[in-house]
mmCIF file of all heavy atoms in Angstrom:
data_model
loop_
_atom_site.group_PDB
_atom_site.id
_atom_site.type_symbol
_atom_site.label_atom_id
_atom_site.label_comp_id
_atom_site.label_asym_id
_atom_site.label_seq_id
_atom_site.Cartn_x
_atom_site.Cartn_y
_atom_site.Cartn_z
ATOM 1 N N GLN A 1243 49.156 118.104 7.919
ATOM 2 C CA GLN A 1243 48.342 119.370 7.717
ATOM 3 C C GLN A 1243 47.580 119.685 8.941
ATOM 4 O O GLN A 1243 46.822 118.837 9.439
ATOM 5 C CB GLN A 1243 47.372 119.241 6.508
ATOM 6 C CG GLN A 1243 48.071 118.949 5.245
ATOM 7 C CD GLN A 1243 47.060 118.676 4.118
ATOM 8 O OE1 GLN A 1243 46.004 118.338 4.341
ATOM 9 N NE2 GLN A 1243 47.553 118.888 2.896
ATOM 10 N N ASN A 1269 47.492 122.213 1.277
ATOM 11 C CA ASN A 1269 47.001 122.061 -0.163
ATOM 12 C C ASN A 1269 45.529 122.277 -0.141
ATOM 13 O O ASN A 1269 44.794 121.692 -0.917
ATOM 14 C CB ASN A 1269 47.340 120.662 -0.696
ATOM 15 C CG ASN A 1269 46.585 119.577 -0.154
ATOM 16 O OD1 ASN A 1269 45.842 119.760 0.867
ATOM 17 N ND2 ASN A 1269 46.611 118.484 -0.704
ATOM 18 N N ILE A 1270 45.047 123.212 0.700
ATOM 19 C CA ILE A 1270 43.617 123.480 0.772
ATOM 20 C C ILE A 1270 43.232 124.807 0.148
ATOM 21 O O ILE A 1270 44.094 125.671 -0.099
ATOM 22 C CB ILE A 1270 43.182 123.549 2.355
ATOM 23 C CG1 ILE A 1270 43.715 124.765 3.068
ATOM 24 C CG2 ILE A 1270 43.568 122.339 3.112
ATOM 25 C CD1 ILE A 1270 43.004 125.031 4.339
ATOM 26 N N THR A 1271 42.019 124.878 -0.322
ATOM 27 C CA THR A 1271 41.511 126.065 -1.077
ATOM 28 C C THR A 1271 40.424 126.741 -0.129
ATOM 29 O O THR A 1271 40.045 127.836 -0.514
ATOM 30 C CB THR A 1271 40.887 125.656 -2.399
ATOM 31 O OG1 THR A 1271 39.859 124.715 -2.163
ATOM 32 C CG2 THR A 1271 42.042 125.085 -3.259
ATOM 33 N N ALA A 1272 40.047 126.143 0.951
ATOM 34 C CA ALA A 1272 39.032 126.707 1.838
ATOM 35 C C ALA A 1272 39.185 126.185 3.232
ATOM 36 O O ALA A 1272 39.687 125.072 3.370
ATOM 37 C CB ALA A 1272 37.608 126.397 1.331
ATOM 38 N N LEU A 1342 38.641 122.673 9.963
ATOM 39 C CA LEU A 1342 38.896 121.824 8.845
ATOM 40 C C LEU A 1342 39.166 122.586 7.627
ATOM 41 O O LEU A 1342 38.877 123.769 7.576
ATOM 42 C CB LEU A 1342 37.762 120.771 8.650
ATOM 43 C CG LEU A 1342 36.343 121.352 8.239
ATOM 44 C CD1 LEU A 1342 36.250 121.423 6.758
ATOM 45 C CD2 LEU A 1342 35.277 120.478 8.867
ATOM 46 N N GLY A 1343 39.777 121.949 6.628
ATOM 47 C CA GLY A 1343 40.070 122.523 5.350
ATOM 48 C C GLY A 1343 39.568 121.566 4.228
ATOM 49 O O GLY A 1343 39.278 120.405 4.447
ATOM 50 N N SER A 1344 39.364 122.129 3.075
ATOM 51 C CA SER A 1344 38.909 121.285 1.884
ATOM 52 C C SER A 1344 39.887 121.654 0.691
ATOM 53 O O SER A 1344 40.265 122.752 0.589
ATOM 54 C CB SER A 1344 37.494 121.397 1.621
ATOM 55 O OG SER A 1344 37.208 122.717 1.253
ATOM 56 N N ASN A 1345 40.016 120.653 -0.191
ATOM 57 C CA ASN A 1345 40.748 120.950 -1.384
ATOM 58 C C ASN A 1345 39.808 121.427 -2.458
ATOM 59 O O ASN A 1345 38.566 121.676 -2.319
ATOM 60 C CB ASN A 1345 41.568 119.681 -1.842
ATOM 61 C CG ASN A 1345 40.615 118.491 -2.167
ATOM 62 O OD1 ASN A 1345 39.383 118.586 -2.351
ATOM 63 N ND2 ASN A 1345 41.140 117.311 -2.120
ATOM 64 N N ASN A 1349 36.869 117.994 -0.852
ATOM 65 C CA ASN A 1349 37.204 116.925 -0.015
ATOM 66 C C ASN A 1349 37.847 117.448 1.235
ATOM 67 O O ASN A 1349 38.749 118.306 1.152
ATOM 68 C CB ASN A 1349 38.124 115.851 -0.622
ATOM 69 C CG ASN A 1349 37.373 115.212 -1.796
ATOM 70 O OD1 ASN A 1349 36.202 114.973 -1.804
ATOM 71 N ND2 ASN A 1349 38.186 115.036 -2.879
ATOM 72 N N GLU A 1350 37.488 116.971 2.489
ATOM 73 C CA GLU A 1350 38.108 117.436 3.724
ATOM 74 C C GLU A 1350 39.565 116.869 3.703
ATOM 75 O O GLU A 1350 39.834 115.723 3.477
ATOM 76 C CB GLU A 1350 37.420 116.862 4.872
ATOM 77 C CG GLU A 1350 38.055 117.211 6.223
ATOM 78 C CD GLU A 1350 37.296 116.650 7.413
ATOM 79 O OE1 GLU A 1350 36.149 116.177 7.339
ATOM 80 O OE2 GLU A 1350 37.944 116.655 8.539
ATOM 81 N N VAL A 1351 40.515 117.789 3.971
ATOM 82 C CA VAL A 1351 41.917 117.429 4.001
ATOM 83 C C VAL A 1351 42.687 117.812 5.291
ATOM 84 O O VAL A 1351 43.814 117.473 5.474
ATOM 85 C CB VAL A 1351 42.701 118.000 2.798
ATOM 86 C CG1 VAL A 1351 42.270 117.369 1.504
ATOM 87 C CG2 VAL A 1351 42.554 119.604 2.846
ATOM 88 N N VAL A 1352 42.011 118.493 6.240
ATOM 89 C CA VAL A 1352 42.651 118.807 7.527
ATOM 90 C C VAL A 1352 41.715 118.252 8.627
ATOM 91 O O VAL A 1352 40.549 118.440 8.621
ATOM 92 C CB VAL A 1352 42.747 120.352 7.673
ATOM 93 C CG1 VAL A 1352 43.308 120.716 9.030
ATOM 94 C CG2 VAL A 1352 43.685 120.899 6.580
ATOM 95 N N PRO A 1353 42.350 117.528 9.497
ATOM 96 C CA PRO A 1353 41.577 116.899 10.588
ATOM 97 C C PRO A 1353 41.049 117.883 11.517
ATOM 98 O O PRO A 1353 41.562 118.988 11.678
ATOM 99 C CB PRO A 1353 42.550 115.966 11.213
ATOM 100 C CG PRO A 1353 43.904 116.460 10.978
ATOM 101 C CD PRO A 1353 43.743 117.178 9.651
#
Side-chain angles (χ1 to χ4, degrees):
Q1243 297 174 336
N1269 74 348
I1270 70 168
T1271 58
L1342 63 92
S1344 64
N1345 62 19
N1349 299 321
E1350 181 180 344
V1351 294
V1352 176

